[in-house]
Amino acid sequence: MRPTRFPVLLLAVLFTAPFASARLHSSQNEPAPAAPHRTTARTARAAKEVAPTIPPSAYNDHPKLAIILVIDQFRGDYLDRWRADFKDRGFNLFLEHGAYFPDCYYDYANTKTAPGHAAIGTGAYTDGNGINSNDWWDLARNQERPVSSVEDERYRIVGAPDSSIPANRPGAPPNAPKYLTGSSPRNLLASTVGDELRLATQGQAKVFGISLKDRAAILPAGAAANGAFWIDPASGYFVTSSFYMSQLPDWAVAFNTGDAIAQAEQEAGLTSVTNFYGQVGRTPAANSYELSFAEALIQGEQLGQHDVTDLLTLSLSANDILGHQKGPDSPDEHEMVDTLDTQLDTFFTWLDKNIPGGLGNVWIALTADHGIAPIPATAAQYGLNAATFDLKKLTANLDYAINMKFSPGEKIQYILPHQELPYISLNESEFLKAGIIEQEAEAAVQQLLPAAVASLVPAPPEPQPSDAAVVPPNPSSTQPPPEPSGQRLPPRPVLFRSYTREQLADGPYPPTPWGKLIAHSYSPNGGWYIMIIPADYQMEQLSSIQTTHFSPYSYDRHVPLGFYGAPFAPGIYRGRVEPVDIASTFAALLGINQPSASVGHILTQALKPDAEVLYPKPKPIPPVRTHRARTETHHTAPTAKSAPKATTPKATHP
Ligand SMILES: [Zn+2]
């Protein structure tokens, strides 16, 4: 298919970038625009001229570049909470010059990083895309440990420095990367908006994913992406997998061997870095580092300089690494967000200068893969029952009870080790050896679960009601009932719900919003399992971090959703929307098929009438000399010493 050139007639009337002409009529304190915008005289003329022609779409490079920007663990209330701090065109690009939806919630229960990123790319939840967690047990592939959502032993990592010896090789340092294996979207069971863009343009559109994390680079970009890049944890080198290419493109090699890593370490205030991911990754410098790599990729791959629309998914990981350690209410988190505001302003300004026609030829969607719970101790201070679960003790209690039921006197490990909420994974081999099928095993564990939870923190005797005269005293107790407490009692673990894998797969689901949310959470991945849902604000006990996300509760499901770009009518749009709406809305506007399992809605309430959607005329494209040719100071980001001519990596798959 040949791309259709945007009509010259229309280009002649398109002289103003949407950013420059953005009507700042709407702010948080003003009502959201309710009806389509009134057509101005100029746009009416444009409409008259445009009417008989082919509308803007991916096929005629409108926009030149679409970006899905994901901030890992960025809860939906942050932008309101720290709104007064924002300056220039960082977050305000969405809040003041774009369409912003403050009430965006995921509609599923397993709010982890991999499923969140998969949902953003595919416009589908776990029941549609198959990704239910970051890691899960797959005994057919590995009986020693859970496999990750993207690891793939059929491929190898490409681009790691020689010094990065994997953990399972002799001589590996203590901070060695965990896996020798490569990665791929092998478990992603649905296409992404990027995949559909590649199919629709017959490979002319370029699609890439970037993150510090493999899963967050791979899953939103999809199987047909030209490449996905994440970092080697020890060195900070950006790497990829032989699923995508057999060697790094020259521009990526230049980035890795330039001074970017040293500058990031310096910006983080670190002198001795042995674990880039853990040490630099938790600082704002990691965001500078990723944004610099994104610029290098955009220039190296000439994104936005094709006859069709290109797509980049960019997931910024630093907020998640810091947020787990410090919690959402910490000054560190506040500082990270404010710094990111400045870093995004610099990145958007860079796009304005480096994409043909400027920022007016770019769409950007902003969201997050999940929110975060307050640190349990903080929530408990305010009186919430924010208990933590001792997961090891819980599984030991369950194993004991299952042995009592099925193999009295024995100590068979029916529950697999390395559990992570919301899942308790069962050792199907041991159950099968005992002649117990999945349904019976899961039902038995589910039945024993309440008692196992209750025994985590044995309940003290309760005081008698004040009308105790009507309650006969317990004759077997030698202790008098305690007096009512004069202060708040400590939090206690509460099991709210549990679902076996078979219940998740088949229902019945109640015909309620809760039932839909649970139905969205099913995946066959993970073998035999029980999904357990503690009460709100509760989580497993954490050793090296302070808080986490995994639950169906609002604080884990609430994320920002913002759009910037020519088709979007600036305003604050109140009303529930979902991150899966990004893929649907982009696909619709690009004129391509929805991703294969998409359940998102097209956010028509935020779209301008077609006649008002104007794109600036691109200037002639300057030749690419170096990926960091500009001279202005970037968020203290580095400049590679040399950048050989950009090349296109060869995909090793169709
Ligand atoms: Zn995450």
Side-chain angles (χ1 to χ4, degrees):
M1 178 189 308
R2 284 180 60 83
T4 309
R5 285 276 176 193
F6 201 44
V8 174
L9 183 61
L10 179 57
L11 288 177
V13 299
L14 304 184
F15 52 85
T16 312
F19 177 74
S21 65
R23 286 167 295 173
L24 309 182
H25 62 79
S26 188
S27 75
Q28 204 167 22
N29 297 321
E30 295 171 353
H37 291 233
R38 191 173 298 156
T39 306
T40 63
R42 178 168 64 78
T43 53
R45 281 196 303 276
K48 199 174 175 184
E49 287 162 335
V50 165
T53 67
I54 297 168
S57 72
Y59 309 102
N60 49 33
D61 66 16
H62 289 87
K64 302 294 297 182
L65 175 62
I67 298 176
I68 298 177
L69 176 62
V70 185
I71 309 175
D72 203 311
Q73 194 197 112
F74 198 87
R75 209 170 57 191
D77 59 328
Y78 288 177
L79 293 185
D80 281 325
R81 192 177 196 174
W82 294 308
R83 176 96 191 247
D85 298 346
F86 302 147
K87 303 178 183 76
D88 304 322
R89 291 196 293 185
F91 290 118
N92 282 339
L93 190 77
F94 308 98
L95 295 167
E96 294 186 0
H97 309 291
Y100 186 67
F101 295 82
D103 291 288
C104 179
Y105 288 80
Y106 282 94
D107 190 31
Y108 74 150
N110 41 305
T111 45
K112 309 283 281 189
T113 291
H117 281 88
I120 292 165
T122 62
Y125 290 108
T126 293
D127 61 331
N129 65 42
I131 305 294
N132 57 340
S133 195
N134 295 337
D135 309 89
W136 55 76
W137 280 97
D138 183 344
L139 295 174
R141 285 176 63 195
N142 197 319
Q143 302 198 349
E144 302 296 315
R145 58 164 176 81
V147 298
S148 96
S149 56
V150 292
E151 73 172 279
D152 191 338
E153 50 277 11
R154 300 171 304 171
Y155 301 98
R156 62 178 176 79
I157 292 291
V158 170
D162 295 339
S163 58
S164 279
I165 307 168
N168 56 351
R169 285 279 179 84
N175 59 347
K178 199 170 173 184
Y179 305 125
L180 173 66
T181 53
S183 302
S184 82
R186 68 182 287 168
N187 294 306
L188 194 63
L189 302 179
S191 70
T192 63
V193 63
D195 291 336
E196 295 299 333
L197 183 60
R198 295 271 296 156
L199 287 168
T201 61
Q202 294 289 284
Q204 291 183 72
K206 287 197 166 191
V207 175
F208 286 93
I210 297 174
S211 175
L212 297 189
K213 306 178 181 181
D214 52 6
R215 56 188 177 275
I218 291 169
L219 297 172
N226 299 74
F229 300 96
W230 57 94
I231 65 163
D232 166 55
S235 66
Y237 271 46
F238 272 94
V239 300
T240 185
S241 164
S242 56
F243 172 80
Y244 298 103
M245 59 194 83
S246 58
Q247 60 182 52
L248 283 184
D250 290 346
W251 60 262
V253 173
F255 184 90
N256 283 339
T257 55
D259 51 8
I261 291 171
Q263 288 209 23
E265 292 171 358
Q266 189 183 16
E267 186 182 337
L270 298 166
T271 50
S272 175
V273 175
T274 54
N275 175 3
F276 187 95
Y277 181 90
Q279 293 173 271
V280 179
R282 62 187 290 281
T283 73
N287 286 331
S288 301
Y289 184 66
E290 275 199 72
L291 291 167
S292 293
F293 186 79
E295 293 173 9
L297 185 150
I298 289 168
Q299 284 206 324
E301 298 295 337
Q302 302 190 322
L303 297 193
Q305 301 192 15
H306 300 113
D307 294 334
V308 296
T309 299
D310 295 323
L311 176 74
L312 174 67
T313 69
L314 172 58
S315 172
L316 301 174
S317 309
N319 213 68
D320 183 70
I321 303 168
L322 179 79
H324 278 297
Q325 294 175 0
K326 300 287 186 174
D329 305 303
S330 65
D332 309 70
E333 177 64 45
H334 186 176
E335 186 190 342
M336 175 77 89
V337 174
D338 281 0
T339 308
L340 182 55
D341 181 53
T342 305
Q343 292 164 324
L344 289 178
D345 173 59
T346 310
F347 179 58
F348 297 152
T349 302
W350 183 90
L351 290 172
D352 203 21
K353 289 179 182 167
N354 288 276
I355 299 299
L359 207 51
N361 276 341
V362 181
W363 299 348
I364 308 170
L366 170 76
T367 192
D369 57 339
H370 50 74
I372 186 73
I375 293 171
T378 304
Q381 273 179 5
Y382 292 99
L384 294 161
N385 188 32
T388 55
F389 279 65
D390 183 338
L391 214 47
K392 279 204 169 129
K393 193 172 170 190
L394 178 65
T395 53
N397 289 352
L398 280 172
D399 254 338
Y400 177 79
I402 300 163
N403 272 289
M404 291 287 283
K405 183 178 175 71
F406 292 123
S407 46
E410 296 193 61
K411 290 184 178 176
I412 295 169
Q413 193 180 48
Y414 287 108
I415 309 290
L416 289 164
H418 310 300
Q419 302 287 350
E420 194 174 302
L421 289 182
Y423 300 105
I424 300 282
S425 299
L426 310 189
N427 191 341
E428 59 187 82
S429 311
E430 294 295 349
F431 278 107
L432 288 173
K433 269 190 233 166
I436 302 159
I437 62 168
E438 179 183 5
Q439 190 176 26
E440 191 183 356
E442 290 177 357
V445 175
Q446 187 179 39
Q447 194 183 16
L448 295 166
L449 200 50
V453 170
S455 65
L456 289 176
V457 183
E462 293 210 8
Q464 289 196 343
S466 57
D467 53 350
V470 300
V471 179
N474 180 356
S476 65
S477 172
T478 57
Q479 295 287 328
E483 295 295 313
S485 173
Q487 59 192 14
R488 288 247 171 103
L489 297 166
R492 291 177 50 76
V494 172
L495 178 66
F496 178 63
R497 295 271 199 284
S498 70
Y499 299 92
T500 67
R501 189 199 67 76
E502 294 203 336
Q503 286 170 340
L504 282 172
D506 303 328
Y509 307 108
T512 62
W514 176 265
K516 194 167 145 220
L517 181 143
I518 293 301
H520 282 157
S521 306
Y522 171 68
S523 169
N525 288 325
W528 299 4
Y529 63 82
I530 316 286
M531 182 183 202
I532 76 170
I533 300 176
D536 57 345
Y537 298 98
Q538 302 199 348
M539 62 185 67
E540 66 195 86
Q541 283 174 12
L542 306 161
S543 54
S544 57
I545 54 175
Q546 292 208 69
T547 184
T548 194
H549 49 87
F550 70 98
S551 81
Y553 298 114
S554 298
Y555 47 80
D556 281 345
R557 292 195 289 124
H558 189 196
V559 293
L561 180 60
F563 292 94
Y564 174 78
F568 300 99
I572 303 293
Y573 296 84
R574 301 204 176 271
R576 282 284 183 108
V577 293
E578 303 171 35
V580 291
D581 299 340
I582 295 172
S584 291
T585 302
F586 271 17
L589 291 170
L590 291 170
I592 62 177
N593 285 329
Q594 293 286 320
S596 60
S598 165
V599 295
H601 294 94
I602 299 155
L603 297 170
T604 53
Q605 64 269 47
L607 300 181
K608 292 178 184 171
D610 284 352
E612 291 189 21
V613 179
L614 305 176
Y615 290 91
K617 179 181 179 180
K619 295 170 193 159
I621 300 165
V624 175
R625 286 172 303 189
T626 159
H627 77 269
R628 306 204 55 81
R630 67 206 158 76
T631 53
E632 76 272 22
T633 306
H634 186 263
H635 24 251
T636 68
T639 300
K641 283 167 186 161
S642 64
K645 194 172 66 177
T647 57
T648 303
K650 274 192 180 142
T652 54
H653 61 103

mmCIF file of all heavy atoms in Angstrom, residues 72-73 112-114 117 213 215 320 324 369-370 549, ligand 1:
data_model
loop_
_atom_site.group_PDB
_atom_site.id
_atom_site.type_symbol
_atom_site.label_atom_id
_atom_site.label_comp_id
_atom_site.label_asym_id
_atom_site.label_seq_id
_atom_site.Cartn_x
_atom_site.Cartn_y
_atom_site.Cartn_z
ATOM 1 N N ASP A 72 5.656 4.925 35.509
ATOM 2 C CA ASP A 72 5.442 3.713 36.307
ATOM 3 C C ASP A 72 5.084 4.099 37.747
ATOM 4 O O ASP A 72 5.799 4.887 38.366
ATOM 5 C CB ASP A 72 6.735 2.869 36.280
ATOM 6 C CG ASP A 72 6.477 1.411 36.570
ATOM 7 O OD1 ASP A 72 5.790 1.111 37.557
ATOM 8 O OD2 ASP A 72 6.974 0.559 35.802
ATOM 9 N N GLN A 73 3.985 3.539 38.235
ATOM 10 C CA GLN A 73 3.494 3.848 39.593
ATOM 11 C C GLN A 73 3.251 5.346 39.774
ATOM 12 O O GLN A 73 3.856 6.000 40.617
ATOM 13 C CB GLN A 73 4.478 3.335 40.659
ATOM 14 C CG GLN A 73 3.890 3.313 42.050
ATOM 15 C CD GLN A 73 4.923 3.203 43.140
ATOM 16 O OE1 GLN A 73 5.129 4.122 43.901
ATOM 17 N NE2 GLN A 73 5.587 2.055 43.230
ATOM 18 N N LYS A 112 -0.530 -4.883 38.620
ATOM 19 C CA LYS A 112 0.934 -4.978 38.630
ATOM 20 C C LYS A 112 1.489 -4.304 37.364
ATOM 21 O O LYS A 112 0.737 -3.928 36.458
ATOM 22 C CB LYS A 112 1.369 -6.444 38.669
ATOM 23 C CG LYS A 112 0.710 -7.263 39.765
ATOM 24 C CD LYS A 112 1.299 -7.014 41.128
ATOM 25 C CE LYS A 112 2.589 -7.760 41.312
ATOM 26 N NZ LYS A 112 3.043 -7.680 42.719
ATOM 27 N N THR A 113 2.811 -4.249 37.297
ATOM 28 C CA THR A 113 3.449 -3.514 36.199
ATOM 29 C C THR A 113 3.227 -4.156 34.827
ATOM 30 O O THR A 113 2.857 -3.483 33.866
ATOM 31 C CB THR A 113 4.956 -3.385 36.472
ATOM 32 O OG1 THR A 113 5.130 -2.507 37.578
ATOM 33 C CG2 THR A 113 5.702 -2.815 35.273
ATOM 34 N N ALA A 114 3.462 -5.465 34.729
ATOM 35 C CA ALA A 114 3.339 -6.114 33.417
ATOM 36 C C ALA A 114 1.891 -6.064 32.894
ATOM 37 O O ALA A 114 1.671 -5.664 31.742
ATOM 38 C CB ALA A 114 3.857 -7.546 33.467
ATOM 39 N N HIS A 117 1.036 -2.410 31.776
ATOM 40 C CA HIS A 117 1.613 -2.017 30.481
ATOM 41 C C HIS A 117 0.960 -2.778 29.328
ATOM 42 O O HIS A 117 0.777 -2.229 28.233
ATOM 43 C CB HIS A 117 3.125 -2.240 30.487
ATOM 44 C CG HIS A 117 3.882 -1.158 31.208
ATOM 45 N ND1 HIS A 117 4.125 -1.194 32.561
ATOM 46 C CD2 HIS A 117 4.428 0.008 30.764
ATOM 47 C CE1 HIS A 117 4.796 -0.099 32.913
ATOM 48 N NE2 HIS A 117 4.997 0.644 31.850
ATOM 49 N N LYS A 213 12.728 -1.161 32.418
ATOM 50 C CA LYS A 213 12.303 -2.550 32.674
ATOM 51 C C LYS A 213 11.945 -3.244 31.363
ATOM 52 O O LYS A 213 11.221 -2.667 30.541
ATOM 53 C CB LYS A 213 11.058 -2.567 33.560
ATOM 54 C CG LYS A 213 11.176 -1.805 34.862
ATOM 55 C CD LYS A 213 9.843 -1.874 35.598
ATOM 56 C CE LYS A 213 9.908 -1.103 36.912
ATOM 57 N NZ LYS A 213 8.635 -1.181 37.655
ATOM 58 N N ARG A 215 9.785 -5.701 30.766
ATOM 59 C CA ARG A 215 8.342 -5.887 30.571
ATOM 60 C C ARG A 215 7.647 -4.593 30.163
ATOM 61 O O ARG A 215 6.684 -4.599 29.395
ATOM 62 C CB ARG A 215 7.701 -6.454 31.832
ATOM 63 C CG ARG A 215 7.933 -5.639 33.107
ATOM 64 C CD ARG A 215 7.423 -6.395 34.337
ATOM 65 N NE ARG A 215 7.677 -5.689 35.583
ATOM 66 C CZ ARG A 215 8.799 -5.747 36.283
ATOM 67 N NH1 ARG A 215 9.792 -6.493 35.851
ATOM 68 N NH2 ARG A 215 8.924 -5.093 37.425
ATOM 69 N N ASP A 320 8.520 4.407 40.117
ATOM 70 C CA ASP A 320 8.124 3.142 40.752
ATOM 71 C C ASP A 320 9.195 2.667 41.725
ATOM 72 O O ASP A 320 8.895 2.228 42.828
ATOM 73 C CB ASP A 320 7.883 2.087 39.671
ATOM 74 C CG ASP A 320 7.393 0.777 40.261
ATOM 75 O OD1 ASP A 320 6.244 0.745 40.741
ATOM 76 O OD2 ASP A 320 8.162 -0.196 40.261
ATOM 77 N N HIS A 324 8.103 2.621 45.742
ATOM 78 C CA HIS A 324 8.044 1.436 46.608
ATOM 79 C C HIS A 324 8.837 1.660 47.888
ATOM 80 O O HIS A 324 8.471 1.174 48.952
ATOM 81 C CB HIS A 324 8.619 0.221 45.871
ATOM 82 C CG HIS A 324 7.656 -0.445 44.947
ATOM 83 N ND1 HIS A 324 6.498 -1.042 45.377
ATOM 84 C CD2 HIS A 324 7.688 -0.628 43.599
ATOM 85 C CE1 HIS A 324 5.851 -1.559 44.336
ATOM 86 N NE2 HIS A 324 6.554 -1.311 43.241
ATOM 87 N N ASP A 369 0.895 2.744 34.746
ATOM 88 C CA ASP A 369 0.529 1.329 34.724
ATOM 89 C C ASP A 369 -0.245 0.901 35.966
ATOM 90 O O ASP A 369 -0.880 -0.145 35.966
ATOM 91 C CB ASP A 369 1.785 0.450 34.549
ATOM 92 C CG ASP A 369 2.819 0.699 35.619
ATOM 93 O OD1 ASP A 369 2.810 1.771 36.257
ATOM 94 O OD2 ASP A 369 3.664 -0.194 35.826
ATOM 95 N N HIS A 370 -0.203 1.696 37.012
ATOM 96 C CA HIS A 370 -0.935 1.412 38.252
ATOM 97 C C HIS A 370 -0.670 2.561 39.202
ATOM 98 O O HIS A 370 0.240 3.368 38.971
ATOM 99 C CB HIS A 370 -0.493 0.089 38.892
ATOM 100 C CG HIS A 370 1.000 -0.022 39.028
ATOM 101 N ND1 HIS A 370 1.711 0.688 39.969
ATOM 102 C CD2 HIS A 370 1.923 -0.697 38.299
ATOM 103 C CE1 HIS A 370 2.998 0.420 39.825
ATOM 104 N NE2 HIS A 370 3.170 -0.405 38.800
ATOM 105 N N HIS A 549 1.592 -2.350 45.207
ATOM 106 C CA HIS A 549 0.346 -2.261 44.435
ATOM 107 C C HIS A 549 0.058 -3.648 43.899
ATOM 108 O O HIS A 549 0.970 -4.345 43.471
ATOM 109 C CB HIS A 549 0.527 -1.275 43.276
ATOM 110 C CG HIS A 549 1.783 -1.548 42.496
ATOM 111 N ND1 HIS A 549 1.838 -2.441 41.456
ATOM 112 C CD2 HIS A 549 3.054 -1.089 42.663
ATOM 113 C CE1 HIS A 549 3.079 -2.499 41.000
ATOM 114 N NE2 HIS A 549 3.844 -1.701 41.719
HETATM 115 ZN ZN ZN B 1 4.725 -0.578 37.635
#
